[in-house]
Amino acid sequence: MKIWCCFGFGEDEVEGRGTMREGMFGNENDDESEGKKLGFSLTGVMTDLEENEMAGGGDQWLPGMGGWGHFDQFASTSGHGIGENGDAFFPEKCDRPEGSERDECDDRDSCDVHHKRAKVQSYSLGCDYAITSMSSSEAGNSSSSTDREYAVSPSPIAFNNEILSLSMMFNDGDDENPLESNDGRDDEGDGFPTSQMEDSEVRMDLTDDLLHMVFSFLDHINLCRAAMVCKQWRAGSSHEDFWRCLNFENRNISEAQFEDMCRRYPNATEVNIFGAPAIHSLVMTAMSSLRNMETLTLGKGTLGDAFFQALADCYVLKRLIVNDATLGNGIQEIPIYHDRLRHLQITKCRVLRISVRCPQLETLSLKRSSMAHAVLNCPLLQDLDIGSCHKLTDAAIRSAAISCPLLESLDMSNCSCVSDDTLREIALTCANLHILDASYCPNISLESVRLQMLTVLKLHSCEGITSASMIAISHSYMLEVLELDNCSLLTSVSLDLPRLQNIRLVHCRKFVDLKLRSMKLSSMTVSNCPALHRIDVTSNSLQKLVLQKQASLTTLALQCQYLQEVDLADCESLTNSICDVFSDGGGCPTLKSLVLDNCECLTAVGFCSTSLVSLSLVGCRAITSLDLTCPYLEQVHLDGCDHLERAYFCPVGLRSLNLGICPKLSALRIEAPSMVQLELKGCGVLSEASINCPKLTSLDASFCSQLKDDCLSATAASCPLIESLILMSCPSVGYEGLSSLRLLPHLTLLDLSYTFLMNLQPVFQSCLQLKVLKLQACKYLTDTSLEALYKEGALPALCELDLSYGTLCQSAIEELLACCTHLTHVSLNGCLNMHDLNWGFGSGSVAELPSIYNNTSSLSTHGDDHDELIEQPNRLLQNLNCVGCPNIKKVLIPPMARCFHLSSLNLSLSANLKEVDVVCSNLCFLNLSNCSSLEILKLECPKLTSLFLQSCNITAEAVEAALTQCNMLETLDIRFCPKVIIKCKHEKVSGSVPQFEAHLQQPLNENERTAYDYSKEFCALFHLVDQLQIDGR
């Protein structure tokens, strides 16, 4: 549902906007604003900030809240019912002070007495609404916001064929029937007759019960806001059900304000005056006024003896929280006596002695308090926290603890005086003790302590804990959590605890040996133990084990039936024996993920596992042999294993494998039924390779210089689905290896670049589906090696041919280009024997050569009549690259060449190229960069968008003449063209191409050369400047 909210004015109200504010909020210049007397008001004196907000205009002042700024600050705080500036907000009575503007407006005829409840004009059942806020049309009306109510009137605003608008009226007076006479204002102000509105009105009176239910979802901040809407909402929001909790935390509330709140809500059950001023007087008021108070929170102040004496009179008090306070005068004993108190928290308090006698008390916290002695008479106490009570003596702690026989949880952390004798007394007296936190207690060793019912034991930084302490801990057969962080003297742990679930051993510098046996162990944290060298764990619940950076760990024994993830990264001392632990029969039958990164002592790794899915050996530089028999292995990471010599994957479930980062790999065997991609790029010494991957589609064996024909033949036989085969720089591949390609009926890409091949006949006969053939730098290919392509029609599906850096002569290249009209991409980069690219008529021209696909068997002679030539078919050539051909001097592509699909032509780095004459209707990209000899440029390419002439000596006149037929040019690169200086006039020539005025100039030096980048998007700038001289600075 979409709700569109907008605040506007009708035509009759435009002139009265300023006076409307005055009518709503009173005169801004008056000392007493009527808004100060509304709803939730300030009982204190107006602050300077409020006066400044009022002086800023009526829009900034919020009646009854001390200004918009105060209200926003109040709404943004976490407290309830108190403003940010320390003033209290609370519901007031409806009575107004004498002398207010409300009392002065007794004449009903001079005031707007319309009192309307919410009305809805429903024209459809849609969900889009337009809400409009309107005010009284009378500019002089000073109605109070106390009596604001709402009416809905028709509005022409419509969304998605739904019309519904809400207009808020600020009116005075008593409630009256909105259907009765209203002085004609409905007809005049709204523009709709009353009779028409009555037919479509639907009353939306919210009953008190419904309003109560809605308000029950609001916090105190929003209740304060709701109280400002109308009388009904003010009464509903002040219901005592919503004010059971009086929260004045960190609020500057006065005693009178607090007393008033207690008088208004005598049934409040929770009071929070933490951080309030004069907490002693406030709490005394609360205890005398609120007889149903169950929870009391206070602090940051001083509590006198009267408070503790009166505490027993709060019969229903159940929870008392005192934080950061001074109790009494600091030199006498503080008594806390209460018969029904259940939870007592006295933290960070300054007191000498404390005596607690609460027969129903269950939880007591004296954490971080400064008392030297504590007397407890709490027979039902279950939870005692005396952590960080540094002044408590060993005897005081013993006396306090043994006085609570039902104690279940004891926190004595940071109590440096605690001794083993105290713990023995506690163990004998508190038979039900389950949780003990004795962290940072340096004097305890637990050697003679028996805590049989203990479930949680925390011993952080206990210097007395040693291996002998484990004997005492082993008697706690109910133990579930054990934390031994920073126990610097602990050397070994050997425990057999059937219920142990969690153990922590962090920063134990001398810790060497760990032996755990627990069927329920589910979490084990061991880190930064530099001396640890042996771990033996038996568990049926452990699923993840992380032991990173254990530099001395050499032995690992695991009997974990459900262990699935193990991370042993940077465990530099692990040896090859670790492989037996994670293989079948090693104690981890369900292991799925194993990380052994940077384990530099591993040399021969072999796993035989029916569960392993992921294996990482990144950075294991010492590994020379890898043997994996893991039928479900899907991922293996071998980055950095640059000394790997032998690798066997038989069988594995891998879908892809990259061994190109193993340059010393010499023997390879793979049986992977699901593998589709294999990369062996850079395995220069690989001589033995057995690849049995029936689903393999891509094989990259680039730079495998030792790969021979027998290996290629076996791979082709076992991998019949290969589509892409890259054998670049594989000089050992010969005729027999190429003949085996007949076993690859789906082969579409073949790369034989940088090989010593002389005969390509096996390729032409076997690869009938080949689409891409790359023969870069095959210098042993002769002029007749490719005759099968343009004379016999070999490779009919071939689309892309790369002959870069070859030794083919000019005539062979011309014949190839003339006859193989089905080629779409041709690369002739760096061909030294290529002199001209002339597709026009004349001596040696390519266009004279008929295609083999026209049922002709002989080439036309130069003396034949042009009319007798067989018409050439349209060429499918799209991309032609002749980069770095130093002997090309002329490029001629006329219309009769029929290159209707040519879109990209790259002739860059052709230093001797002088003339370019291209007529091509679809050419979009032309690169002539670094053609330093270029003098003549003729272009008739209406779709050309990018032209690169970087570092060319061509003149500006030639460039200008060439661009006259290029109507769609977007990018012109003439950087470092010393003979071209452009002066642009915005004259539309042949389709909005700017006319260039070129001037000859002496060649510029290197510092004066500029980069010109012409783009069609910048043409609009020429409208603003008649003449733009680009000087390059």
Side-chain angles (χ1 to χ4, degrees), residues 421-441:
D421 294 337
T422 296
L423 290 179
R424 279 193 294 270
E425 292 290 338
I426 294 175
L428 294 175
T429 305
C430 305
N432 294 323
L433 187 63
H434 297 316
I435 301 174
L436 175 62
D437 188 349
S439 301
Y440 301 95
C441 296

Side-chain angles (χ1 to χ4, degrees), residues 276-324:
I279 60 171
H280 180 76
S281 59
L282 296 182
V283 73
M284 295 303 294
T285 301
M287 289 193 298
S288 61
S289 303
L290 306 177
R291 311 311 299 176
N292 295 322
M293 184 171 57
E294 297 180 357
T295 302
L296 176 60
T297 303
L298 60 157
K300 284 190 176 181
T302 301
L303 294 175
D305 298 337
F307 164 71
F308 298 101
Q309 295 175 1
L311 189 63
D313 296 334
C314 296
Y315 302 108
V316 298
L317 187 66
K318 296 181 180 179
R319 182 185 296 270
L320 175 61
I321 301 174
V322 183
N323 184 24
D324 193 11

Side-chain angles (χ1 to χ4, degrees), residues 313-435:
D313 296 334
C314 296
Y315 302 108
V316 298
L317 187 66
K318 296 181 180 179
R319 182 185 296 270
L320 175 61
I321 301 174
V322 183
N323 184 24
D324 193 11
T326 300
L327 309 185
N329 55 14
I331 61 174
Q332 62 182 4
E333 182 176 286
I334 297 299
I336 301 178
Y337 302 155
H338 199 284
D339 294 335
R340 297 188 180 182
L341 194 65
R342 295 180 181 273
H343 305 281
L344 175 59
Q345 180 177 331
I346 301 178
T347 58
K348 201 178 178 182
C349 290
R350 294 162 292 281
V351 60
L352 180 63
R353 296 167 58 90
I354 190 171
S355 175
V356 181
R357 188 178 65 192
C358 301
Q360 300 295 326
L361 193 65
E362 298 176 356
T363 302
L364 173 60
S365 175
L366 302 175
K367 196 177 186 70
R368 300 180 65 185
S369 295
S370 62
M371 77 279 294
H373 190 72
V375 177
L376 304 183
N377 186 2
C378 308
L380 298 182
L381 188 65
Q382 299 177 3
D383 190 339
L384 176 60
D385 186 355
I386 53 175
S388 300
C389 293
H390 302 288
K391 294 184 179 182
L392 278 179
T393 63
D394 186 33
I397 295 174
R398 183 188 314 169
S399 174
I402 64 177
S403 65
C404 307
L406 299 182
L407 198 63
E408 296 181 359
S409 175
L410 175 60
D411 185 349
M412 55 174 63
S413 58
N414 283 286
C415 294
S416 56
C417 298
V418 178
S419 63
D420 285 340
D421 294 337
T422 296
L423 290 179
R424 279 193 294 270
E425 292 290 338
I426 294 175
L428 294 175
T429 305
C430 305
N432 294 323
L433 187 63
H434 297 316
I435 301 174

Side-chain angles (χ1 to χ4, degrees), residues 55-119:
D59 290 342
Q60 298 178 355
W61 177 249
L62 181 64
M65 295 298 290
W68 291 106
H70 288 175
F71 187 84
D72 291 339
Q73 293 174 1
F74 168 66
S76 63
T77 59
S78 61
H80 304 300
I82 296 297
E84 184 67 24
N85 63 345
D87 295 321
F89 299 101
F90 49 86
E92 291 185 349
K93 297 181 179 179
C94 299
D95 298 337
R96 295 178 176 271
E98 297 181 359
S100 65
E101 295 182 9
R102 182 71 178 87
D103 296 333
E104 294 175 359
C105 187
D106 294 334
D107 189 359
R108 296 287 180 172
D109 296 335
S110 62
C111 301
D112 186 2
V113 297
H114 302 289
H115 191 88
K116 298 183 180 180
R117 294 190 180 275
K119 304 174 185 179

Side-chain angles (χ1 to χ4, degrees), residues 126-353:
C127 296
D128 294 332
Y129 305 95
I131 303 177
T132 307
S133 175
M134 303 179 63
S135 68
S136 175
S137 60
E138 293 186 4
N141 181 25
S142 60
S143 61
S144 172
S145 59
T146 305
D147 300 325
R148 292 181 190 175
E149 298 193 9
Y150 300 94
V152 179
S153 60
S155 174
I157 302 176
F159 301 99
N160 299 332
N161 297 325
E162 303 295 336
I163 304 177
L164 186 62
S165 63
L166 178 63
S167 177
M168 182 170 64
M169 309 291 292
F170 302 97
N171 301 316
D172 288 337
D174 299 330
D175 295 345
E176 62 181 8
N177 191 341
L179 300 180
E180 295 179 357
S181 174
N182 50 25
D183 298 337
R185 296 177 187 267
D186 289 344
D187 296 338
E188 295 176 2
D190 298 338
F192 287 86
T194 304
S195 59
Q196 295 181 5
M197 294 181 60
E198 291 177 354
D199 296 337
S200 58
E201 289 176 353
V202 178
R203 298 184 63 88
M204 290 181 59
D205 289 338
L206 294 177
T207 63
D208 292 340
D209 294 338
L210 180 58
L211 195 64
H212 188 88
M213 182 185 68
V214 173
F215 283 173
S216 65
F217 295 96
L218 301 182
D219 56 14
H220 288 175
I221 298 293
N222 290 315
L223 285 172
C224 293
R225 293 171 176 169
M228 301 181 62
V229 173
C230 63
K231 292 181 179 179
Q232 183 191 17
W233 284 34
R234 181 172 59 190
S237 63
S238 61
H239 196 280
E240 63 177 7
D241 288 350
F242 309 135
W243 298 93
R244 297 289 185 182
C245 173
L246 303 181
N247 189 349
F248 302 104
E249 182 176 351
N250 294 321
R251 301 298 178 185
N252 187 19
I253 183 172
S254 67
E255 184 176 356
Q257 292 172 336
F258 184 75
E259 183 178 355
D260 183 69
M261 289 296 295
C262 294
R263 185 178 64 256
R264 291 177 180 275
Y265 302 106
N267 294 324
T269 59
E270 182 177 349
V271 175
N272 187 347
I273 54 175
F274 177 84
I279 60 171
H280 180 76
S281 59
L282 296 182
V283 73
M284 295 303 294
T285 301
M287 289 193 298
S288 61
S289 303
L290 306 177
R291 311 311 299 176
N292 295 322
M293 184 171 57
E294 297 180 357
T295 302
L296 176 60
T297 303
L298 60 157
K300 284 190 176 181
T302 301
L303 294 175
D305 298 337
F307 164 71
F308 298 101
Q309 295 175 1
L311 189 63
D313 296 334
C314 296
Y315 302 108
V316 298
L317 187 66
K318 296 181 180 179
R319 182 185 296 270
L320 175 61
I321 301 174
V322 183
N323 184 24
D324 193 11
T326 300
L327 309 185
N329 55 14
I331 61 174
Q332 62 182 4
E333 182 176 286
I334 297 299
I336 301 178
Y337 302 155
H338 199 284
D339 294 335
R340 297 188 180 182
L341 194 65
R342 295 180 181 273
H343 305 281
L344 175 59
Q345 180 177 331
I346 301 178
T347 58
K348 201 178 178 182
C349 290
R350 294 162 292 281
V351 60
L352 180 63
R353 296 167 58 90

Side-chain angles (χ1 to χ4, degrees), residues 698-1006:
S698 176
L699 173 60
D700 186 352
S702 304
F703 303 100
C704 294
S705 56
Q706 302 298 322
L707 196 63
K708 295 182 173 56
D709 289 344
D710 55 347
C711 179
L712 180 60
S713 301
T715 301
S718 59
C719 307
L721 300 181
I722 291 180
E723 299 177 0
S724 174
L725 179 60
I726 301 177
L727 299 173
M728 182 173 61
S729 296
C730 294
S732 300
V733 174
Y735 186 90
E736 295 182 0
L738 295 181
S739 299
S740 65
L741 298 182
R742 66 181 183 277
L743 302 176
L744 305 177
H746 303 285
L747 186 64
T748 59
L749 186 150
L750 178 62
D751 190 348
L752 298 173
S753 301
Y754 298 93
T755 57
F756 300 151
L757 296 174
M758 301 177 59
N759 188 354
L760 297 177
Q761 197 63 29
V763 176
F764 298 146
Q765 294 176 354
S766 304
C767 307
L768 301 180
Q769 302 298 324
L770 196 64
K771 295 181 180 180
V772 180
L773 177 60
K774 296 184 179 182
L775 300 170
Q776 295 183 19
C778 293
K779 298 184 178 181
Y780 289 91
L781 291 179
T782 63
D783 295 342
T784 60
S785 299
L786 299 178
E787 286 186 354
L789 283 178
Y790 54 83
K791 287 187 177 181
E792 301 176 6
L795 304 182
L798 190 65
C799 297
E800 181 176 344
L801 178 62
D802 191 347
L803 298 173
S804 300
Y805 311 105
T807 58
L808 295 181
C809 66
Q810 175 76 14
S811 60
I813 294 176
E814 290 180 347
E815 292 182 30
L816 179 67
L817 295 176
C819 299
C820 297
T821 58
H822 56 292
L823 295 176
T824 60
H825 293 72
V826 176
S827 295
L828 300 170
N829 303 327
C831 292
L832 299 178
N833 296 330
M834 187 173 180
H835 300 288
D836 288 324
L837 187 61
N838 187 354
W839 287 357
F841 292 108
S843 178
S845 62
V846 179
E848 297 177 0
L849 302 174
S851 172
I852 59 173
Y853 300 101
N854 292 326
N855 297 324
T856 59
S857 59
S858 62
L859 299 175
S860 301
T861 61
H862 301 306
D864 292 341
D865 190 5
H866 294 169
D867 297 336
E868 296 177 0
L869 289 175
I870 299 176
E871 182 180 359
Q872 292 285 327
N874 294 338
R875 303 178 189 273
L876 301 180
L877 187 63
Q878 300 176 10
N879 193 318
L880 177 60
N881 294 322
C882 297
V883 178
C885 297
N887 296 322
I888 292 183
K889 297 181 180 179
K890 182 179 180 180
V891 174
L892 176 61
I893 303 179
M896 63 280 298
R898 308 184 70 83
C899 296
F900 300 128
H901 300 280
L902 185 63
S903 60
S904 176
L905 177 60
N906 193 346
L907 301 168
S908 60
L909 297 172
S910 299
N912 295 318
L913 182 62
K914 293 184 178 180
E915 181 181 354
V916 175
D917 188 351
V918 178
V919 180
C920 187
S921 58
N922 286 315
L923 188 66
C924 300
F925 176 88
L926 176 60
N927 190 354
L928 298 172
S929 300
N930 295 285
C931 295
S932 55
S933 301
L934 184 64
E935 297 177 356
I936 301 174
L937 180 60
K938 298 179 181 180
L939 300 177
E940 190 174 341
C941 306
K943 294 185 179 180
L944 186 66
T945 58
S946 300
L947 175 60
F948 294 87
L949 296 173
Q950 180 181 345
S951 300
C952 293
N953 289 325
I954 192 170
T955 63
E957 291 86 350
V959 175
E960 179 182 355
L963 296 181
T964 56
Q965 300 297 322
C966 302
N967 302 330
M968 300 181 65
L969 188 64
E970 296 179 359
T971 302
L972 174 62
D973 186 353
I974 50 176
R975 293 175 292 174
F976 311 115
C977 294
K979 295 183 179 180
V980 179
I981 291 183
I982 304 175
K983 183 184 298 182
C984 302
K985 289 184 178 179
H986 188 67
E987 299 177 2
K988 293 185 178 181
V989 179
S990 301
S992 301
V993 177
Q995 179 72 26
F996 292 91
E997 292 186 1
H999 300 273
L1000 295 178
Q1001 180 179 303
Q1002 294 297 328
L1004 302 177
N1005 57 39
E1006 192 67 25

Side-chain angles (χ1 to χ4, degrees), residues 531-563:
L532 180 63
H533 73 272
R534 184 176 183 275
I535 295 179
D536 186 352
V537 178
T538 301
S539 172
N540 286 340
S541 301
L542 189 63
Q543 297 184 359
K544 183 176 181 179
L545 177 62
V546 178
L547 297 171
Q548 296 180 353
K549 298 182 179 180
Q550 302 301 322
S552 301
L553 184 62
T554 58
T555 304
L556 182 64
L558 299 176
Q559 292 295 327
C560 304
Q561 300 298 318
Y562 298 100
L563 185 62

